[in-house]
Structure formats: structure tokens, C-alpha cells
Amino acid sequence: VRVTTLAIVGVGLIGGSIGLAARRRHVAARIIGFDQDRTAIQRALERGILDEAAADLLTAVAAADVVVFCTPVDRIAAQVRTAAAACRPGTLLTDTGSTKSAIVRELQGNLPTGVDFIGSHPLAGSEKQGPQSAHADLLERCLVVVTPAETKNDNALSRVAAFWQALGASVRVMSPEDHDRALALTSHLPHLVASALAGVLPPEWAALTATGFRDMTRLASGDPALWAAIFQSNREETLAALGRLEEHLGEFRQALADSDGNALTNLLRQGKRIRDELTS
Amino acid sequence: VRVTTLAIVGVGLIGGSIGLAARRRHVAARIIGFDQDRTAIQRALERGILDEAAADLLTAVAAADVVVFCTPVDRIAAQVRTAAAACRPGTLLTDTGSTKSAIVRELQGNLPTGVDFIGSHPLAGSEKQGPQSAHADLLERCLVVVTPAETKNDNALSRVAAFWQALGASVRVMSPEDHDRALALTSHLPHLVASALAGVLPPEWAALTATGFRDMTRLASGDPALWAAIFQSNREETLAALGRLEEHLGEFRQALADSDGNALTNLLRQGKRIRDELTS
């Protein structure tokens, strides 16, 4: 893939890392960025993430052949609709939002002819934020789930897959619904649990936490507004995943209440077996 | 502190690390070890953790002036009682078990005159196991909670505190009951949650896990039998901590079911505020 002009809307951790990767791997001849936060734009220019800062969203996308929206999930669909009106035919739009069904549903059939949107979700991220935390290898060996609407043309899908691969990521195609169901459990639930676990720590016991508690709550440092929006845009599936965990916690509770050492050991074995198969 | 002969009973990750730290910091003139697992003993000798392997528990402790029991929590009290009969007067016994009330209760008033036991719990550890994972700096900057029975003499308490400090750790004195109540929430609950979260992952979604899920489930790789014993020996407090978490998860559930963005954001803010105050 050789992109003539790449536009990045939202130059935080993900947007900034896309810019750095695109530059290092010579994926784009020119990189334009837009962000409502002037400080973020300033930092992105200083770090060489962008060649140019656009004055507004429409200016950024009008010049681009590929646009990536790296903004909060509750704003992406509206921004894409606004931006699409200013795009040249043939422009490819994608995003990096953590939920996909709501966004894809809202955009399906609502874009000008010749302008394609394909949803994407790079499974990268961190509790850190902002372009100052961006790094060129965040996308290396990272999986990007690409979630075309059913009606999507194959050409746009190939272009978006090639774009992510050119940045060093691998690509998996899923329906937006399958993506949201899986990610509710593999990403949204862990975040919710990290926050809940941190939330029950009485301040006087903070000194009695070690690596375990800290690893288990690190995600809780993420941005509350961003995550509230993610949970709400994937409400049903997050509730279902939470229900599954609550039920399983209930099995631990029962085994413990019954002082049933075998049941407890078996539950712990099940967790270990599944965890040991994940790398790192 | 200068220990003439240090005996380490159980030379796994913790026992091995105590040996390495004692050697590096010249805390003990001689280090004897005992472990039922001959492979562990062999590895500990190879790594220079021990000067000598004892043929049995009684031989190990008869020669020592300080003995540390680094064995599973459900075996410590019985081992200490057996060992104490072979100890010379003035011998100081301690342990590294993750729960303290049951052990201290069982030993209180049941040891020969002149032989003191003071419970200890180094807040260090890892999902890794065995002397091959031991390292000399595991105890550096680590907090060791020391939990004397009410009747304990101050001299034994001072000796055990000085021992841990000589290994590079800092020491906090708590009652066994306060220790168990706090650690149920800061250590036992996170382990249980990590295991439960790993346990609900369908295998087909393993590829869709990223750093978040992996950090949140790393503890699940711990030894199931060891952890089942820890949960059972701190049953009431672990159940109470689990109840607290379940209740708080219920608040998240309610906010999400109500699509109450403010409530959700406030819950996430609470977790973030508490987590941000913990270092690293």
C-alpha cells in the first residue's frame, strides 16, 4: 500500500502510533492530522507524527485518500458522516473504535457513493493516553479486527486490510456483531473488573497490595469517560459477559462456602489450563 | 543480624530467594535446606542457594538458630510443631505463608519453652514456581507482614523483624486477624478473580485477547492446589472480600442496565482514583 495522503482524526495514543508506524514503514507520502485538543496536535507535530495539522475536520479529510478516525466510540459515527461529505470519491474511511456494531449500523447506507467505511479495531492499547505515549511499534504483531458491513464491497475490505498489514499488524475479518460479543468478554469485561476491584480497596490497605493487585487493577487507570462510552455502546454484550463472570464467581463462592477443596482445585485448574495456553 | 545456621524448609521460589538474599547480604554463615521434592533440593544446591541439603526435617532444624518454613499454608503448622521438638532452646521459627490466623492459632501455646514462632508473610511472589525462578532481589523493597500472637515476647518479634530487614525487606507488624482480613482483599480475591476471568474464556476467543486480558489473568497460572489451600485457610475473609466485589460489580451492572452514563463514569472514576494512588 502506498497512501498519498493519510489523515488521522484524533492523535492520541493510537492515532499517534499509527502516524509513527506509517512514517517508519513509508506507508504514506504525507500525514495530516486533526484533533480538537490543540495540545495533542502540538505534541504530535513536535514528535514528528504529523507533517501537517489541519485547521478543521473537513480540511483534513478533503485532502486524504485514507482517513483513520481514532476518536471516542460515541463520536466516531457522527464524525464519519460529517467528514464523508467532504471526501473525494475513492476515499477509504476506517476507525479504531473498541466497539463496532453501533458504528457500522449507523453508517451502513448513509455515505456518499464512492466513499467507503470499513470498521477496524486494533487490539492494542494501554492505560496510557495521548501522543506522548505513542510509539511506532504499538501495531507490530498486533491483531486488527476488521468488521465490514454485509453489503461492503471487497475492494474496500482489501484496501483496509492491506493498510493495517503495511503498518505491521495482522488482520482478522469478523462481523461487527461477532466482534462485539467476543470483545465484551476479552476486553470490556476485564476493564470493568479491574475498575471494580480497585474500587473496593480501602485506602488503609493500599500499602498491603503487591504485584498481583497492581496487575489486576492497572486497567482501572484508563479514562473513565472513554470507557463509560465503550460500555454503553456495547451494553447488551457487556452485560452478558458480566453475567457469565458473576455466575462463575458464584461457583467459586459455593465451593468455598462448602469448604469443598476438590471443587475449588478444579475451578482453579480450569482457569490455569485456559491461561497457560495464552502466550505471555 | 548474623545467623549462624539458617534452615530453609521448602526451597521453592520464596525459600530459594531467601537463601540467595541471605547469601548475597551475608546474613547467615551457613544455609541448610530441606524439601520433600528431591529435584528442588538438587536445583537449589546447583544454584548455590544452599550449602547443604538435610536428609530430613528434624536434621535441618536441629542445627539451626533461625528456621523459615516456606511450605504450603495447610502444612506449615504441623511441620512447625514436629520440628520444634528437635530445636535447641533459643531457636527462632518463622514462615512465609499467605494466611496467618489459622497457623498462629494452632501454634500458640503449643511449642516447647525457649522455641519461638512468629508468623511472617512476604508480599512477594509470582505465578512462577520452584528454585529455578528464585532470585536474590525478590525481597528487596518487599513488605513483610509479621504477625505475632498476642502472648509473644518482644525479643522474638525484634529478631524476626531484624532478620527480614537484613534481607532487604521492610517490616510491618499486624495481628494475624488484621493481616488475613486485608490480604483476603488485596491478594486472595485478585487471585480468585483472575482464575474466574480466565475460566470463562471460550477457547475460540483466545486469539482476541490482548494485554488487558493477559494482565488480568496472569495470576491464574499459579498452582491450583496451593491456592485452594490458601482460600480454605482464609475462608471467611475471602468470602467477605468476594461479597464486597460482587456487590460493587452489581453497581456496575445496574448503571449499565439503566444506561446511566453518569453513574458508570462515577464508578470508573472511583476505581481510577484509587488505582492512580498505587505506585506502578
Side-chain angles (χ1 to χ4, degrees), chain B residues 173-205:
Chain B
V173 179
M174 293 175 77
S175 75
E177 294 72 25
D178 285 347
H179 167 277
D180 284 4
R181 193 171 310 122
L183 272 287
L185 195 137
T186 62
S187 168
H188 312 157
L189 180 63
H191 196 99
L192 191 156
V193 170
S195 181
L197 194 57
V200 296
L201 179 73
E204 65 271 25
W205 291 348

PDB file of all heavy atoms in Angstrom, chain B residues 173-205:
ATOM      1  N   VAL B 173       4.173  -4.786  61.388  1.00  0.00           N
ATOM      2  CA  VAL B 173       3.612  -5.706  62.377  1.00  0.00           C
ATOM      3  C   VAL B 173       2.094  -5.548  62.397  1.00  0.00           C
ATOM      4  O   VAL B 173       1.569  -4.445  62.470  1.00  0.00           O
ATOM      5  CB  VAL B 173       4.201  -5.432  63.785  1.00  0.00           C
ATOM      6  CG1 VAL B 173       3.582  -6.384  64.810  1.00  0.00           C
ATOM      7  CG2 VAL B 173       5.716  -5.590  63.758  1.00  0.00           C
ATOM      8  N   MET B 174       1.384  -6.646  62.274  1.00  0.00           N
ATOM      9  CA  MET B 174      -0.086  -6.644  62.326  1.00  0.00           C
ATOM     10  C   MET B 174      -0.530  -7.884  63.106  1.00  0.00           C
ATOM     11  O   MET B 174       0.202  -8.865  63.195  1.00  0.00           O
ATOM     12  CB  MET B 174      -0.684  -6.742  60.915  1.00  0.00           C
ATOM     13  CG  MET B 174      -0.441  -5.541  60.024  1.00  0.00           C
ATOM     14  SD  MET B 174      -1.063  -5.810  58.318  1.00  0.00           S
ATOM     15  CE  MET B 174      -2.824  -5.572  58.570  1.00  0.00           C
ATOM     16  N   SER B 175      -1.757  -7.852  63.600  1.00  0.00           N
ATOM     17  CA  SER B 175      -2.289  -9.071  64.203  1.00  0.00           C
ATOM     18  C   SER B 175      -2.600 -10.051  63.074  1.00  0.00           C
ATOM     19  O   SER B 175      -2.876  -9.639  61.943  1.00  0.00           O
ATOM     20  CB  SER B 175      -3.566  -8.765  64.988  1.00  0.00           C
ATOM     21  OG  SER B 175      -4.638  -8.561  64.094  1.00  0.00           O
ATOM     22  N   PRO B 176      -2.555 -11.362  63.356  1.00  0.00           N
ATOM     23  CA  PRO B 176      -2.872 -12.350  62.311  1.00  0.00           C
ATOM     24  C   PRO B 176      -4.253 -12.094  61.703  1.00  0.00           C
ATOM     25  O   PRO B 176      -4.436 -12.238  60.486  1.00  0.00           O
ATOM     26  CB  PRO B 176      -2.846 -13.681  63.069  1.00  0.00           C
ATOM     27  CG  PRO B 176      -2.006 -13.438  64.279  1.00  0.00           C
ATOM     28  CD  PRO B 176      -2.161 -11.995  64.636  1.00  0.00           C
ATOM     29  N   GLU B 177      -5.212 -11.688  62.528  1.00  0.00           N
ATOM     30  CA  GLU B 177      -6.582 -11.475  62.038  1.00  0.00           C
ATOM     31  C   GLU B 177      -6.652 -10.272  61.096  1.00  0.00           C
ATOM     32  O   GLU B 177      -7.301 -10.331  60.049  1.00  0.00           O
ATOM     33  CB  GLU B 177      -7.544 -11.265  63.219  1.00  0.00           C
ATOM     34  CG  GLU B 177      -7.713 -12.496  64.114  1.00  0.00           C
ATOM     35  CD  GLU B 177      -6.493 -12.796  64.984  1.00  0.00           C
ATOM     36  OE1 GLU B 177      -5.713 -11.849  65.277  1.00  0.00           O
ATOM     37  OE2 GLU B 177      -6.312 -13.980  65.356  1.00  0.00           O
ATOM     38  N   ASP B 178      -5.981  -9.176  61.473  1.00  0.00           N
ATOM     39  CA  ASP B 178      -5.980  -7.999  60.590  1.00  0.00           C
ATOM     40  C   ASP B 178      -5.285  -8.328  59.266  1.00  0.00           C
ATOM     41  O   ASP B 178      -5.720  -7.901  58.193  1.00  0.00           O
ATOM     42  CB  ASP B 178      -5.270  -6.823  61.267  1.00  0.00           C
ATOM     43  CG  ASP B 178      -6.131  -6.190  62.354  1.00  0.00           C
ATOM     44  OD1 ASP B 178      -7.341  -6.490  62.412  1.00  0.00           O
ATOM     45  OD2 ASP B 178      -5.579  -5.397  63.157  1.00  0.00           O
ATOM     46  N   HIS B 179      -4.179  -9.057  59.375  1.00  0.00           N
ATOM     47  CA  HIS B 179      -3.477  -9.489  58.158  1.00  0.00           C
ATOM     48  C   HIS B 179      -4.421 -10.251  57.230  1.00  0.00           C
ATOM     49  O   HIS B 179      -4.525  -9.973  56.038  1.00  0.00           O
ATOM     50  CB  HIS B 179      -2.279 -10.371  58.510  1.00  0.00           C
ATOM     51  CG  HIS B 179      -1.709 -11.085  57.318  1.00  0.00           C
ATOM     52  ND1 HIS B 179      -2.245 -12.269  56.843  1.00  0.00           N
ATOM     53  CD2 HIS B 179      -0.697 -10.758  56.484  1.00  0.00           C
ATOM     54  CE1 HIS B 179      -1.571 -12.640  55.766  1.00  0.00           C
ATOM     55  NE2 HIS B 179      -0.622 -11.746  55.526  1.00  0.00           N
ATOM     56  N   ASP B 180      -5.118 -11.226  57.772  1.00  0.00           N
ATOM     57  CA  ASP B 180      -5.947 -12.088  56.927  1.00  0.00           C
ATOM     58  C   ASP B 180      -7.116 -11.329  56.307  1.00  0.00           C
ATOM     59  O   ASP B 180      -7.514 -11.611  55.173  1.00  0.00           O
ATOM     60  CB  ASP B 180      -6.475 -13.279  57.737  1.00  0.00           C
ATOM     61  CG  ASP B 180      -5.379 -14.332  57.955  1.00  0.00           C
ATOM     62  OD1 ASP B 180      -4.233 -14.080  57.548  1.00  0.00           O
ATOM     63  OD2 ASP B 180      -5.699 -15.399  58.506  1.00  0.00           O
ATOM     64  N   ARG B 181      -7.679 -10.380  57.070  1.00  0.00           N
ATOM     65  CA  ARG B 181      -8.787  -9.589  56.546  1.00  0.00           C
ATOM     66  C   ARG B 181      -8.307  -8.738  55.358  1.00  0.00           C
ATOM     67  O   ARG B 181      -8.943  -8.700  54.314  1.00  0.00           O
ATOM     68  CB  ARG B 181      -9.351  -8.692  57.649  1.00  0.00           C
ATOM     69  CG  ARG B 181     -10.690  -8.057  57.306  1.00  0.00           C
ATOM     70  CD  ARG B 181     -11.304  -7.354  58.508  1.00  0.00           C
ATOM     71  NE  ARG B 181     -11.308  -8.249  59.657  1.00  0.00           N
ATOM     72  CZ  ARG B 181     -10.719  -8.008  60.837  1.00  0.00           C
ATOM     73  NH1 ARG B 181     -10.109  -6.858  61.041  1.00  0.00           N
ATOM     74  NH2 ARG B 181     -10.760  -8.903  61.804  1.00  0.00           N
ATOM     75  N   ALA B 182      -7.155  -8.083  55.535  1.00  0.00           N
ATOM     76  CA  ALA B 182      -6.627  -7.222  54.465  1.00  0.00           C
ATOM     77  C   ALA B 182      -6.174  -8.044  53.265  1.00  0.00           C
ATOM     78  O   ALA B 182      -6.516  -7.736  52.121  1.00  0.00           O
ATOM     79  CB  ALA B 182      -5.467  -6.381  55.003  1.00  0.00           C
ATOM     80  N   LEU B 183      -5.432  -9.108  53.515  1.00  0.00           N
ATOM     81  CA  LEU B 183      -4.882  -9.882  52.390  1.00  0.00           C
ATOM     82  C   LEU B 183      -5.961 -10.631  51.618  1.00  0.00           C
ATOM     83  O   LEU B 183      -5.795 -10.918  50.437  1.00  0.00           O
ATOM     84  CB  LEU B 183      -3.775 -10.825  52.871  1.00  0.00           C
ATOM     85  CG  LEU B 183      -2.358 -10.232  52.905  1.00  0.00           C
ATOM     86  CD1 LEU B 183      -1.816 -10.081  51.480  1.00  0.00           C
ATOM     87  CD2 LEU B 183      -2.258  -8.901  53.626  1.00  0.00           C
ATOM     88  N   ALA B 184      -7.079 -10.938  52.276  1.00  0.00           N
ATOM     89  CA  ALA B 184      -8.203 -11.542  51.556  1.00  0.00           C
ATOM     90  C   ALA B 184      -8.580 -10.642  50.387  1.00  0.00           C
ATOM     91  O   ALA B 184      -8.847 -11.117  49.281  1.00  0.00           O
ATOM     92  CB  ALA B 184      -9.405 -11.721  52.485  1.00  0.00           C
ATOM     93  N   LEU B 185      -8.562  -9.338  50.627  1.00  0.00           N
ATOM     94  CA  LEU B 185      -8.958  -8.404  49.579  1.00  0.00           C
ATOM     95  C   LEU B 185      -7.809  -8.028  48.650  1.00  0.00           C
ATOM     96  O   LEU B 185      -7.985  -7.915  47.444  1.00  0.00           O
ATOM     97  CB  LEU B 185      -9.575  -7.150  50.204  1.00  0.00           C
ATOM     98  CG  LEU B 185     -10.340  -6.304  49.191  1.00  0.00           C
ATOM     99  CD1 LEU B 185     -11.665  -5.818  49.772  1.00  0.00           C
ATOM    100  CD2 LEU B 185      -9.512  -5.122  48.725  1.00  0.00           C
ATOM    101  N   THR B 186      -6.605  -7.846  49.206  1.00  0.00           N
ATOM    102  CA  THR B 186      -5.506  -7.364  48.359  1.00  0.00           C
ATOM    103  C   THR B 186      -4.770  -8.480  47.625  1.00  0.00           C
ATOM    104  O   THR B 186      -4.060  -8.218  46.673  1.00  0.00           O
ATOM    105  CB  THR B 186      -4.466  -6.569  49.182  1.00  0.00           C
ATOM    106  OG1 THR B 186      -3.892  -7.442  50.172  1.00  0.00           O
ATOM    107  CG2 THR B 186      -5.103  -5.380  49.892  1.00  0.00           C
ATOM    108  N   SER B 187      -4.947  -9.729  48.051  1.00  0.00           N
ATOM    109  CA  SER B 187      -4.198 -10.811  47.398  1.00  0.00           C
ATOM    110  C   SER B 187      -5.050 -12.024  47.026  1.00  0.00           C
ATOM    111  O   SER B 187      -4.985 -12.514  45.902  1.00  0.00           O
ATOM    112  CB  SER B 187      -3.042 -11.242  48.311  1.00  0.00           C
ATOM    113  OG  SER B 187      -2.469 -12.443  47.867  1.00  0.00           O
ATOM    114  N   HIS B 188      -5.867 -12.506  47.970  1.00  0.00           N
ATOM    115  CA  HIS B 188      -6.609 -13.736  47.686  1.00  0.00           C
ATOM    116  C   HIS B 188      -7.742 -13.478  46.694  1.00  0.00           C
ATOM    117  O   HIS B 188      -7.941 -14.245  45.749  1.00  0.00           O
ATOM    118  CB  HIS B 188      -7.092 -14.362  49.003  1.00  0.00           C
ATOM    119  CG  HIS B 188      -5.997 -14.451  50.033  1.00  0.00           C
ATOM    120  ND1 HIS B 188      -6.203 -14.521  51.375  1.00  0.00           N
ATOM    121  CD2 HIS B 188      -4.633 -14.463  49.874  1.00  0.00           C
ATOM    122  CE1 HIS B 188      -5.030 -14.564  52.016  1.00  0.00           C
ATOM    123  NE2 HIS B 188      -4.073 -14.528  51.122  1.00  0.00           N
ATOM    124  N   LEU B 189      -8.454 -12.374  46.883  1.00  0.00           N
ATOM    125  CA  LEU B 189      -9.524 -12.020  45.938  1.00  0.00           C
ATOM    126  C   LEU B 189      -8.997 -11.800  44.508  1.00  0.00           C
ATOM    127  O   LEU B 189      -9.567 -12.345  43.560  1.00  0.00           O
ATOM    128  CB  LEU B 189     -10.284 -10.790  46.445  1.00  0.00           C
ATOM    129  CG  LEU B 189     -11.429 -10.295  45.550  1.00  0.00           C
ATOM    130  CD1 LEU B 189     -12.526 -11.341  45.433  1.00  0.00           C
ATOM    131  CD2 LEU B 189     -11.992  -8.975  46.066  1.00  0.00           C
ATOM    132  N   PRO B 190      -7.920 -11.010  44.317  1.00  0.00           N
ATOM    133  CA  PRO B 190      -7.405 -10.855  42.949  1.00  0.00           C
ATOM    134  C   PRO B 190      -7.065 -12.195  42.297  1.00  0.00           C
ATOM    135  O   PRO B 190      -7.332 -12.392  41.113  1.00  0.00           O
ATOM    136  CB  PRO B 190      -6.140 -10.004  43.139  1.00  0.00           C
ATOM    137  CG  PRO B 190      -6.401  -9.227  44.382  1.00  0.00           C
ATOM    138  CD  PRO B 190      -7.235 -10.114  45.271  1.00  0.00           C
ATOM    139  N   HIS B 191      -6.510 -13.107  43.081  1.00  0.00           N
ATOM    140  CA  HIS B 191      -6.183 -14.410  42.505  1.00  0.00           C
ATOM    141  C   HIS B 191      -7.452 -15.152  42.071  1.00  0.00           C
ATOM    142  O   HIS B 191      -7.528 -15.717  40.973  1.00  0.00           O
ATOM    143  CB  HIS B 191      -5.394 -15.252  43.505  1.00  0.00           C
ATOM    144  CG  HIS B 191      -4.710 -16.400  42.859  1.00  0.00           C
ATOM    145  ND1 HIS B 191      -3.387 -16.387  42.524  1.00  0.00           N
ATOM    146  CD2 HIS B 191      -5.202 -17.584  42.418  1.00  0.00           C
ATOM    147  CE1 HIS B 191      -3.076 -17.518  41.925  1.00  0.00           C
ATOM    148  NE2 HIS B 191      -4.160 -18.266  41.851  1.00  0.00           N
ATOM    149  N   LEU B 192      -8.452 -15.119  42.932  1.00  0.00           N
ATOM    150  CA  LEU B 192      -9.715 -15.792  42.624  1.00  0.00           C
ATOM    151  C   LEU B 192     -10.352 -15.186  41.360  1.00  0.00           C
ATOM    152  O   LEU B 192     -10.819 -15.913  40.460  1.00  0.00           O
ATOM    153  CB  LEU B 192     -10.649 -15.657  43.835  1.00  0.00           C
ATOM    154  CG  LEU B 192     -11.922 -16.476  43.889  1.00  0.00           C
ATOM    155  CD1 LEU B 192     -12.366 -16.654  45.349  1.00  0.00           C
ATOM    156  CD2 LEU B 192     -13.054 -15.828  43.102  1.00  0.00           C
ATOM    157  N   VAL B 193     -10.320 -13.863  41.271  1.00  0.00           N
ATOM    158  CA  VAL B 193     -10.923 -13.176  40.123  1.00  0.00           C
ATOM    159  C   VAL B 193     -10.153 -13.479  38.838  1.00  0.00           C
ATOM    160  O   VAL B 193     -10.752 -13.701  37.780  1.00  0.00           O
ATOM    161  CB  VAL B 193     -10.996 -11.658  40.381  1.00  0.00           C
ATOM    162  CG1 VAL B 193     -11.390 -10.901  39.134  1.00  0.00           C
ATOM    163  CG2 VAL B 193     -11.981 -11.369  41.515  1.00  0.00           C
ATOM    164  N   ALA B 194      -8.827 -13.506  38.923  1.00  0.00           N
ATOM    165  CA  ALA B 194      -8.018 -13.830  37.744  1.00  0.00           C
ATOM    166  C   ALA B 194      -8.382 -15.216  37.221  1.00  0.00           C
ATOM    167  O   ALA B 194      -8.536 -15.432  36.015  1.00  0.00           O
ATOM    168  CB  ALA B 194      -6.530 -13.772  38.101  1.00  0.00           C
ATOM    169  N   SER B 195      -8.544 -16.143  38.153  1.00  0.00           N
ATOM    170  CA  SER B 195      -8.872 -17.501  37.761  1.00  0.00           C
ATOM    171  C   SER B 195     -10.279 -17.576  37.167  1.00  0.00           C
ATOM    172  O   SER B 195     -10.510 -18.241  36.153  1.00  0.00           O
ATOM    173  CB  SER B 195      -8.758 -18.422  38.977  1.00  0.00           C
ATOM    174  OG  SER B 195      -9.047 -19.743  38.607  1.00  0.00           O
ATOM    175  N   ALA B 196     -11.215 -16.865  37.782  1.00  0.00           N
ATOM    176  CA  ALA B 196     -12.592 -16.873  37.284  1.00  0.00           C
ATOM    177  C   ALA B 196     -12.671 -16.259  35.885  1.00  0.00           C
ATOM    178  O   ALA B 196     -13.379 -16.754  35.007  1.00  0.00           O
ATOM    179  CB  ALA B 196     -13.502 -16.126  38.254  1.00  0.00           C
ATOM    180  N   LEU B 197     -11.921 -15.172  35.676  1.00  0.00           N
ATOM    181  CA  LEU B 197     -11.943 -14.493  34.381  1.00  0.00           C
ATOM    182  C   LEU B 197     -11.336 -15.401  33.301  1.00  0.00           C
ATOM    183  O   LEU B 197     -11.886 -15.532  32.204  1.00  0.00           O
ATOM    184  CB  LEU B 197     -11.166 -13.186  34.500  1.00  0.00           C
ATOM    185  CG  LEU B 197     -11.314 -12.152  33.397  1.00  0.00           C
ATOM    186  CD1 LEU B 197     -12.768 -11.744  33.193  1.00  0.00           C
ATOM    187  CD2 LEU B 197     -10.483 -10.915  33.734  1.00  0.00           C
ATOM    188  N   ALA B 198     -10.221 -16.036  33.620  1.00  0.00           N
ATOM    189  CA  ALA B 198      -9.624 -16.978  32.672  1.00  0.00           C
ATOM    190  C   ALA B 198     -10.603 -18.113  32.390  1.00  0.00           C
ATOM    191  O   ALA B 198     -10.755 -18.563  31.250  1.00  0.00           O
ATOM    192  CB  ALA B 198      -8.312 -17.529  33.216  1.00  0.00           C
ATOM    193  N   GLY B 199     -11.288 -18.548  33.435  1.00  0.00           N
ATOM    194  CA  GLY B 199     -12.182 -19.693  33.320  1.00  0.00           C
ATOM    195  C   GLY B 199     -13.372 -19.488  32.406  1.00  0.00           C
ATOM    196  O   GLY B 199     -13.947 -20.456  31.915  1.00  0.00           O
ATOM    197  N   VAL B 200     -13.776 -18.248  32.165  1.00  0.00           N
ATOM    198  CA  VAL B 200     -14.938 -18.016  31.294  1.00  0.00           C
ATOM    199  C   VAL B 200     -14.549 -17.720  29.848  1.00  0.00           C
ATOM    200  O   VAL B 200     -15.421 -17.433  29.017  1.00  0.00           O
ATOM    201  CB  VAL B 200     -15.870 -16.875  31.819  1.00  0.00           C
ATOM    202  CG1 VAL B 200     -16.474 -17.257  33.159  1.00  0.00           C
ATOM    203  CG2 VAL B 200     -15.155 -15.539  31.894  1.00  0.00           C
ATOM    204  N   LEU B 201     -13.245 -17.796  29.536  1.00  0.00           N
ATOM    205  CA  LEU B 201     -12.839 -17.518  28.147  1.00  0.00           C
ATOM    206  C   LEU B 201     -13.080 -18.726  27.250  1.00  0.00           C
ATOM    207  O   LEU B 201     -12.460 -19.768  27.439  1.00  0.00           O
ATOM    208  CB  LEU B 201     -11.347 -17.147  28.092  1.00  0.00           C
ATOM    209  CG  LEU B 201     -10.793 -16.862  26.690  1.00  0.00           C
ATOM    210  CD1 LEU B 201     -11.294 -15.530  26.165  1.00  0.00           C
ATOM    211  CD2 LEU B 201      -9.270 -16.888  26.682  1.00  0.00           C
ATOM    212  N   PRO B 202     -13.963 -18.609  26.263  1.00  0.00           N
ATOM    213  CA  PRO B 202     -14.117 -19.718  25.318  1.00  0.00           C
ATOM    214  C   PRO B 202     -12.851 -19.832  24.464  1.00  0.00           C
ATOM    215  O   PRO B 202     -12.309 -18.812  24.055  1.00  0.00           O
ATOM    216  CB  PRO B 202     -15.303 -19.290  24.448  1.00  0.00           C
ATOM    217  CG  PRO B 202     -15.943 -18.141  25.157  1.00  0.00           C
ATOM    218  CD  PRO B 202     -14.849 -17.489  25.942  1.00  0.00           C
ATOM    219  N   PRO B 203     -12.373 -21.052  24.218  1.00  0.00           N
ATOM    220  CA  PRO B 203     -11.096 -21.223  23.506  1.00  0.00           C
ATOM    221  C   PRO B 203     -11.049 -20.487  22.161  1.00  0.00           C
ATOM    222  O   PRO B 203      -9.995 -19.978  21.775  1.00  0.00           O
ATOM    223  CB  PRO B 203     -10.999 -22.743  23.296  1.00  0.00           C
ATOM    224  CG  PRO B 203     -12.140 -23.363  24.013  1.00  0.00           C
ATOM    225  CD  PRO B 203     -12.983 -22.316  24.629  1.00  0.00           C
ATOM    226  N   GLU B 204     -12.201 -20.391  21.494  1.00  0.00           N
ATOM    227  CA  GLU B 204     -12.189 -19.765  20.160  1.00  0.00           C
ATOM    228  C   GLU B 204     -11.940 -18.261  20.224  1.00  0.00           C
ATOM    229  O   GLU B 204     -11.693 -17.628  19.207  1.00  0.00           O
ATOM    230  CB  GLU B 204     -13.480 -20.078  19.388  1.00  0.00           C
ATOM    231  CG  GLU B 204     -14.740 -19.492  19.984  1.00  0.00           C
ATOM    232  CD  GLU B 204     -15.407 -20.404  21.018  1.00  0.00           C
ATOM    233  OE1 GLU B 204     -14.694 -21.245  21.624  1.00  0.00           O
ATOM    234  OE2 GLU B 204     -16.632 -20.259  21.233  1.00  0.00           O
ATOM    235  N   TRP B 205     -12.008 -17.679  21.406  1.00  0.00           N
ATOM    236  CA  TRP B 205     -11.737 -16.245  21.534  1.00  0.00           C
ATOM    237  C   TRP B 205     -10.342 -15.944  22.064  1.00  0.00           C
ATOM    238  O   TRP B 205      -9.992 -14.785  22.304  1.00  0.00           O
ATOM    239  CB  TRP B 205     -12.796 -15.571  22.426  1.00  0.00           C
ATOM    240  CG  TRP B 205     -14.158 -15.515  21.796  1.00  0.00           C
ATOM    241  CD1 TRP B 205     -14.468 -15.766  20.489  1.00  0.00           C
ATOM    242  CD2 TRP B 205     -15.402 -15.186  22.438  1.00  0.00           C
ATOM    243  NE1 TRP B 205     -15.828 -15.625  20.281  1.00  0.00           N
ATOM    244  CE2 TRP B 205     -16.416 -15.269  21.463  1.00  0.00           C
ATOM    245  CE3 TRP B 205     -15.740 -14.834  23.750  1.00  0.00           C
ATOM    246  CZ2 TRP B 205     -17.756 -15.011  21.744  1.00  0.00           C
ATOM    247  CZ3 TRP B 205     -17.079 -14.570  24.037  1.00  0.00           C
ATOM    248  CH2 TRP B 205     -18.073 -14.653  23.040  1.00  0.00           C
TER     249      TRP B 205
END
